[in-house]
Amino acid sequence: MNVTCQTPSGPVTVASGVGQQNVAIPIPSSGSITCTVTGYSYGKSASTTVTLTSSQAGQTMTQTLKIPVSGYYIPGVGFVPVSTLILLAVVIIIVVILIVILLIEYSNWRRRRLAGLLGPPK
């Protein structure tokens, strides 16, 4: 998450980090300051703009960003995007197919070996 405020000298990054953040922004005695809160997760981003005036000095404002990422919350794991779940399913299917192929080949090898050991009587 980034918090950037527009000052007369240009944009200034006030805070940057991960998760919930508490940011104190100095408000000018006259006029206002405009700040943009931007969040990014799993290839998606969201932002909101807040204009603070001198009448709001000393007050607490809460801004919540909702990032439009599709996925599921799994207890003990956290948020898992759908793309990760699809990738995991594909990998599991490929591993199962490889195990089945290896078991079939092992069975054929054992059958040939056993036939070679027993072989026709001499």
Side-chain angles (χ1 to χ4, degrees):
M1 179 184 82
N2 291 327
V3 178
T4 305
C5 294
Q6 185 65 37
T7 64
S9 60
V12 175
T13 299
V14 178
S16 179
V18 176
Q20 181 178 351
Q21 297 201 6
N22 296 319
V23 180
I25 299 172
I27 300 174
S29 56
S30 64
S32 63
I33 187 168
T34 302
C35 297
T36 303
V37 181
T38 305
Y40 179 84
S41 180
Y42 298 106
K44 301 285 184 176
S45 64
S47 65
T48 185
T49 302
V50 180
T51 301
L52 305 170
T53 61
S54 57
S55 64
Q56 294 170 315
Q59 295 179 8
T60 300
M61 293 185 67
T62 302
Q63 289 295 318
T64 303
L65 287 180
K66 293 193 180 202
I67 301 173
V69 178
S70 61
Y72 296 98
Y73 179 77
I74 300 173
V77 176
F79 179 78
V80 181
V82 170
S83 60
T84 303
L85 294 175
I86 292 171
L87 177 66
L88 184 61
V90 168
V91 168
I92 289 172
I93 290 170
I94 290 172
V95 167
V96 167
I97 290 171
L98 288 175
I99 289 172
V100 167
I101 291 171
L102 288 173
L103 288 174
I104 290 170
E105 289 298 320
Y106 176 73
S107 173
N108 290 338
W109 175 79
R110 291 288 295 179
R111 190 177 303 120
R112 284 190 307 268
R113 185 169 178 223
L114 187 60
L117 286 177
L118 296 178
K122 295 181 182 180

